[in-house]
Amino acid sequence: MSELRPGEITDEMRQAVDTAQRQGLQKDLRTLAASIRADAEDRYADAEPGWQSGVEWTLLWIENTASQLTEGRS
């Protein structure tokens, strides 16, 4: 297999790399949200007022961010 030179890298190749990176980050964010959710559920009963709302807001923000990474992209 021959090596590519910088001028041989196509826009499609760049787009494929960008998509792969976004999908990887999206997966990582969703894994993080699932981990936070699992840890937090055991602590809701003993938590101070507002703590559960803060956790839920944070989870929503993480999930929305993950969704936006590939929204409108192919």
Side-chain angles (χ1 to χ4, degrees), residues 3-14:
E3 289 185 34
L4 289 173
R5 291 185 293 266
E8 296 174 329
I9 297 173
T10 66
D11 288 339
E12 291 81 17
M13 291 175 179
R14 286 185 181 95

Side-chain angles (χ1 to χ4, degrees), residues 36-50:
I36 291 170
R37 184 177 293 109
D39 287 344
E41 286 175 354
D42 294 336
R43 300 176 187 187
Y44 283 156
D46 299 328
E48 294 180 23

Side-chain angles (χ1 to χ4, degrees), residues 33 36 52-65:
I36 291 170
Q52 182 175 353
S53 297
V55 170
E56 290 173 1
W57 181 91
T58 301
L59 292 172
L60 181 61
W61 184 86
I62 291 170
E63 290 167 1
N64 284 339
T65 301

